[in-house]
Amino acid sequence: MPRILIVSNRLPVTLDRTDGGLIYHPSAGGLATGLTSLDDSWERIWIGWPGQSNFHLAEEEEITHHLAKENLVPVFLSEEDVTNFYEGFCNKTIWPQFHYFPQYIAYNDDYWEAYKAVNQKFTDAVATQIRPDDIVWVHDYQLMLVPGMLRKQFAETSIGFFLHIPFPSYELFRTLPWREELLHGMLGADLIGFHTFGYMRHFLSSVYRLVGMEQNFGKLLVDNRTVNVDVFPMGINYEKYAEGAPTLPSAEVEFIRDYGKRRKLILSIDRLDYSKGIPQRVLAYERFLERNPVYHGKVTLIMVVVPSRANVDQYFQLKETIEQSVGRINGRFGTFNWIPIRYYYRSFPFDSLSAMYKSAHIALITPIRDGMNLVAKEFVASKHQEKQGVLILSEMAGAASDMPEALLINPIDINDMVHSLEMAMEMPAEEQKERLESMQERLIQYDIKYWARTFISQQMDTKKLLPEGEVKLLETDQWDELIEAYQTASSRLLMLDYDGTLVNFVNDPDDAYPDQELLDILKKLNEQPGTTIVIISGRDRHTLGNWFGELGIELVAEHGVWLWRNGRWVLSNEVNSSWKIDVRPIMDNLVARTPGSFVEEKDYTLAWHYRRVDKDLGAKRVREIRDGLIYLTANHNLQVLEGNKVVEIRNSGVHKGKAASMWINKTTSKFILAMGDDHTDEDTFQAMPRDAYTIKVGYAKTHAKHKLRSTEQARALLADLATSFS
Ligand code: GDG
């Protein structure tokens, strides 16, 4: 049976030590619910921390044995791990960094070391469980290195990663000393999921700027693997909240229901966290009461603050701040029969929570940052029957992307919140119903089950995926067939592009010289009787001559301007360079305004290179060149050609296809192979006879019949051809 291994910081059970022994509390969180919905043909194994530390060996064995019955695998953490990994790097570094609270970030090497070590512990725990064909789904910010660590050991395993919190803008992320390691960790996955497109965009921008990988519609090429990055807004167990608790109402539930009938209730529920915007919310409520005496005695704010992370300083201070404000407001406005804020620093059982959702008139959810915020969705689902209630939601919560019908507010703008409270109090019943219904429709369709199912199915698809969706990769049997055709042909013609095909791109083109291994392969091929090798490049003739002149192979420089024949360069076309005097100043001006770019001047070509320029700026400048040169190119009969991070200007009628035709027209070879990687090589592919082998190196759209993933593969193919005679 195929298995899915879920890896998250916490297991869906929590352990407690009591005098009577160990107690296991199951916690049916959203994730656990979602996963039960996966097709029954999946076996589910869950790996995570059970929530207590420093067990004796005998206790660990007992716990492991007990949890194994539920398919749960514990990862045991020491107290030091909890301090440095969980409370340290997770909650004092990543949490504030990813929620835009730079003032709270602790940069501490010990925390980082602990984070790496604990991520390795989780990875080791997965490694002991994993079997071929298992798929692994890793969750959240505590385990960002796990996909990368797993990938090192399990090259073929399908790995998914989902981040439940925001991914910050590059401008903030870049300040993290361990930024590249975290990105590489995540990139070990095949599928990386976020709640919103904004987080996905920030992630891809950081990957581009810090690791240099460019995305193509959310897909990245990482070590010859496709990594897909996509948006999966998490839903909830809709029915659970729509129906509420099935048990007989407790005294607390009765009280809440009755209370809701006598007053308009505004509900606020969060974990104690500075990201939740609780102090600002309390201030907004105070100002609302100041401005609207008419509601005194008629409205109550029910404020549930669930204790959390008590060992982190800021949380303690935050609690003090909130409690002082609550005290001030109750003291200022309260009467003998009205308490403006009912404040609870504790959690409630589900039946009470559900009664609060159902009885509240308004949910006031105003985080300063929040990955998603499920409370907002649970409130809306709880209004399934009555269709009355108003959601006031921060535009900084991921949930705002899914719920535009809420009254969206800026959580820093107190007046905006006050205004929305006033609107919510007065909103006509029909409008409340309409807004709720649209949100409910979406919550029903995109529930937690849908979320888990779509993630897993996309994760499995990604493994098979080729960017651009084109299935053109040269398969093993086609590779073998090509080699056989090469061996059996009486003469052979190989037409090879150089940069991006035989060597990888580097920032400085001069550094992309051929290494000894490549020279040996070309030499060996060239020594085979009947084999002709032509390198068709955009490079200048001097460079090509220096690099390959001695090999005795044939060369084409400047896309066909120069041909290397019998030991000397000859001009192939009617070309002139008089236009350079007009074009060069325009390009120099471009370089002055575009740091990192430069002009390469060849005999009959001017090339503007922009590999080191930000891609958006590069794209803007390419547009400028096209527009700026439009008259000049027409008058001088020039063409503007876009290659890989280079724009070249040269005489019209010169291109690699035309150069290639000179060999094609006179060859008697039955075996012809053309390989190239960029736009300019498309002309070569198109000039080839129908039965030639044409191979694109890379994934972009092409006229070539086949693709190879990388220059490494292109070289491997040539190496196979070179040894096919021995
Ligand atoms: C992360 C991200 C993202 C709250 N108080 C009580 C109680 N709750 C339950 C709610 C809800 C859950 O806790 C809180 O969900 P959130 O979405 O607000 O936040 P987290 O789970 O802490 O954190 C967040 C989420 O992951 C999912 O990806 O939305 O942005 O930070 O389900 O109902 N439950 C009970 N009593 C309470 O007093 N029983």
Side-chain angles (χ1 to χ4, degrees):
M1 190 190 257
R3 306 189 318 164
I4 171 163
L5 309 188
I6 311 297
V7 193
S8 65
N9 181 48
R10 297 295 289 267
L11 281 175
V13 296
T14 301
L15 264 180
D16 258 344
R17 262 203 191 98
T18 64
D19 295 342
L22 295 167
I23 300 189
Y24 299 79
H25 303 284
S27 53
L31 190 57
T33 316
L35 293 168
T36 53
S37 71
L38 291 173
D39 192 330
D40 274 347
S41 56
W42 287 96
E43 190 185 344
R44 285 171 285 267
I45 318 285
W46 200 312
I47 298 162
W49 178 44
Q52 288 285 330
S53 47
N54 285 8
F55 292 109
H56 312 296
L57 207 57
E59 279 178 320
E60 288 192 359
E61 277 171 14
E62 182 202 324
I63 295 165
T64 307
H65 180 72
H66 183 95
L67 293 176
K69 289 182 234 153
E70 307 288 323
N71 269 357
L72 304 177
V73 179
V75 178
F76 294 106
L77 300 183
S78 67
E79 255 166 41
E80 206 183 345
D81 286 338
V82 175
T83 307
N84 288 331
F85 158 74
Y86 181 64
E87 289 166 2
F89 199 77
C90 294
N91 290 336
K92 290 186 188 157
T93 309
I94 302 186
W95 184 271
Q97 182 103 30
F98 282 40
H99 286 86
Y100 296 77
F101 281 84
Q103 67 274 34
Y104 293 154
I105 304 170
Y107 296 112
N108 178 324
D109 286 332
D110 292 339
Y111 291 174
W112 168 244
E113 290 306 319
Y115 187 78
K116 281 195 292 188
V118 172
N119 272 250
Q120 190 61 55
K121 257 189 201 180
F122 274 81
T123 305
D124 295 344
V126 177
T128 59
Q129 299 295 321
I130 209 163
R131 297 186 199 148
D133 297 334
D134 282 353
I135 78 163
V136 182
W137 190 8
V138 182
H139 287 266
D140 223 0
Y141 67 103
Q142 301 91 349
L143 303 177
M144 287 158 83
L145 299 179
V146 169
M149 289 173 166
L150 279 173
R151 182 60 67 207
K152 284 199 186 123
Q153 292 183 55
F154 304 99
E156 295 305 323
T157 299
S158 165
I159 303 172
F161 178 79
F162 189 83
L163 187 72
H164 290 259
I165 64 173
F167 194 94
S169 133
Y170 161 70
E171 288 302 337
L172 190 57
F173 184 73
R174 69 191 299 194
T175 60
L176 196 58
W178 309 279
R179 57 205 190 171
E180 281 95 352
E181 286 97 324
L182 291 174
L183 292 179
H184 282 300
M186 291 169 78
L187 290 170
D190 299 298
L191 177 63
I192 302 174
F194 297 95
H195 281 306
T196 73
F197 179 64
Y199 309 154
M200 166 180 162
R201 208 163 43 81
H202 290 155
F203 171 74
L204 288 170
S205 148
S206 289
V207 167
Y208 167 65
R209 281 156 217 280
L210 295 168
V211 191
M213 291 173 189
E214 275 191 52
Q215 58 135 339
N216 187 8
F217 296 104
K219 301 205 177 64
L220 297 158
L221 185 64
V222 182
D223 301 333
N224 290 337
R225 284 182 301 117
T226 297
V227 175
N228 191 11
V229 182
D230 210 341
V231 179
F232 302 86
M234 189 171 178
I236 55 164
N237 180 351
Y238 186 87
E239 282 159 33
K240 179 176 164 190
Y241 291 91
E243 284 162 17
T247 48
L248 275 177
S250 65
E252 189 169 61
V253 168
E254 296 272 26
F255 180 85
I256 296 167
R257 284 182 187 166
D258 179 55
Y259 200 64
K261 285 182 194 137
R262 290 186 283 122
R263 296 229 155 78
K264 289 241 181 193
L265 301 186
I266 302 172
L267 184 61
S268 146
I269 301 183
D270 318 84
R271 231 171 10 80
L272 178 70
D273 200 292
Y274 47 77
S275 65
K276 300 290 183 179
I278 305 173
Q280 291 85 345
R281 190 181 312 165
V282 178
L283 288 184
Y285 182 62
E286 183 176 27
R287 199 170 295 175
F288 167 78
L289 292 179
E290 267 170 22
R291 286 200 201 159
N292 297 281
V294 60
Y295 290 123
H296 290 193
K298 298 191 180 115
V299 63
T300 294
L301 173 63
I302 308 268
M303 220 167 102
V304 178
V305 176
V306 180
S308 125
R309 304 181 195 172
N311 292 344
V312 179
D313 290 346
Q314 291 96 16
Y315 290 74
F316 179 74
Q317 285 158 15
L318 176 68
K319 179 169 178 277
E320 302 265 289
T321 309
I322 296 169
E323 290 176 358
Q324 275 173 12
S325 313
V326 170
R328 187 184 66 243
I329 294 168
N330 281 344
R332 183 175 165 197
F333 296 100
T335 62
F336 279 102
N337 58 5
W338 176 49
I339 306 169
I341 305 180
R342 282 184 168 260
Y343 167 77
Y344 304 94
Y345 179 62
R346 66 174 174 97
S347 64
F348 284 85
F350 173 70
D351 59 347
S352 299
L353 182 79
S354 168
M356 285 189 248
Y357 282 146
K358 284 184 179 289
S359 305
H361 178 62
I362 297 169
L364 186 58
I365 301 172
T366 61
I368 293 177
R369 291 283 163 179
D370 210 337
M372 172 52 73
N373 196 301
L374 300 177
V375 170
K377 295 190 168 180
E378 291 164 4
F379 170 76
V380 170
S382 302
K383 301 297 183 188
H384 185 73
Q385 278 96 19
E386 309 85 337
K387 311 264 188 238
Q388 288 300 297
V390 183
L391 173 63
I392 301 179
L393 178 62
S394 162
E395 59 195 37
M396 313 296 179
S401 317
D402 299 5
M403 305 167 100
E405 298 84 357
L407 294 183
L408 296 180
I409 52 93
N410 170 359
I412 301 296
D413 183 347
I414 307 281
N415 288 329
D416 193 13
M417 285 189 271
V418 173
H419 178 64
S420 292
L421 274 173
E422 289 164 353
M423 270 178 73
M425 293 298 280
E426 298 300 326
M427 188 180 284
E430 191 48 35
E431 184 178 345
Q432 294 182 37
K433 183 166 179 271
E434 270 172 27
R435 287 175 184 259
L436 282 171
E437 274 177 347
S438 325
M439 292 190 272
Q440 286 167 347
E441 253 172 52
R442 239 170 289 126
L443 289 178
I444 292 169
Q445 195 177 354
Y446 302 110
D447 66 355
I448 182 70
K449 298 179 179 180
Y450 179 91
W451 175 79
R453 261 198 324 261
T454 47
F455 190 95
I456 294 298
S457 77
Q458 199 156 317
Q459 180 178 337
M460 300 208 311
D461 288 349
T462 303
K463 257 282 166 264
K464 306 172 215 147
L465 203 71
L466 278 180
E468 297 280 308
E470 281 186 67
V471 187
K472 271 190 159 185
L473 272 196
L474 192 69
E475 306 281 353
T476 315
D477 50 342
Q478 292 168 323
W479 181 297
D480 295 343
E481 184 197 305
L482 187 151
I483 293 194
E484 200 186 323
Y486 182 85
Q487 278 173 327
T488 49
S490 53
S491 62
R492 297 156 292 271
L493 175 60
L494 307 183
M495 316 201 83
L496 310 172
D497 168 52
Y498 181 68
D499 292 275
T501 301
L502 302 182
V503 292
N504 285 321
F505 287 105
V506 286
N507 279 338
D508 184 346
D510 288 343
D511 292 339
Y513 49 81
D515 51 277
Q516 197 54 47
E517 182 199 54
L518 177 61
L519 292 173
D520 289 346
I521 294 171
L522 294 174
K523 186 159 177 275
K524 205 160 177 186
L525 285 167
N526 198 44
E527 282 166 2
Q528 292 166 351
T531 299
T532 305
I533 302 178
V534 191
I535 291 195
I536 307 188
S537 169
R539 291 250 180 194
D540 69 84
R541 62 188 165 127
H542 307 291
T543 307
L544 284 186
N546 285 342
W547 288 350
F548 300 108
E550 307 240 304
L551 280 186
I553 62 177
E554 309 200 1
L555 302 172
V556 174
E558 286 193 45
H559 297 93
V561 173
W562 294 100
L563 309 180
W564 177 250
R565 287 252 164 98
N566 307 321
R568 66 189 190 93
W569 287 105
V570 288
L571 264 181
S572 70
N573 276 63
E574 278 301 303
V575 282
N576 74 74
S577 60
S578 58
W579 53 271
K580 281 200 265 168
I581 200 161
D582 293 329
V583 174
R584 178 84 204 210
I586 296 175
M587 289 193 135
D588 286 342
N589 177 278
L590 199 69
V591 169
R593 291 185 299 120
T594 318
S597 71
F598 63 93
V599 176
E600 181 191 5
E601 181 159 352
K602 304 180 222 181
D603 295 332
Y604 295 94
T605 309
L606 284 177
W608 180 68
H609 292 264
Y610 61 101
R611 181 158 304 280
R612 275 179 293 169
V613 176
D614 180 281
K615 67 174 184 311
D616 295 332
L617 181 60
K620 178 175 157 59
R621 294 289 190 252
V622 169
R623 187 74 188 260
E624 277 178 36
I625 301 183
R626 284 200 167 281
D627 294 350
L629 293 180
I630 202 152
Y631 293 109
L632 280 174
T633 49
N635 289 344
H636 289 288
N637 199 19
L638 300 173
Q639 55 180 335
V640 181
L641 270 150
E642 286 179 45
N644 192 329
K645 302 285 182 193
V646 58
V647 178
E648 310 217 17
I649 320 276
R650 74 174 91 90
N651 296 94
S652 291
V654 176
H655 57 82
K656 287 181 177 177
K658 199 159 170 188
S661 307
M662 291 189 220
W663 275 268
I664 296 298
N665 293 342
K666 64 180 175 100
T667 189
T668 54
S669 297
K670 287 280 172 283
F671 180 96
I672 301 172
L673 167 68
M675 287 210 280
D677 74 300
D678 74 8
H679 293 324
T680 62
D681 301 308
E682 293 299 313
D683 292 326
T684 311
F685 297 142
Q686 284 183 288
M688 292 296 117
R690 210 148 12 119
D691 53 359
Y693 291 90
T694 46
I695 298 181
K696 168 97 173 174
V697 178
Y699 290 112
K701 271 208 154 34
T702 182
H703 290 100
K705 288 182 196 152
H706 297 292
K707 291 179 180 177
L708 285 174
R709 288 177 194 271
S710 60
T711 56
E712 286 76 18
Q713 283 203 321
R715 290 165 67 134
L717 180 65
L718 292 182
D720 276 4
L721 295 180
T723 50
S724 64
F725 279 91
S726 45

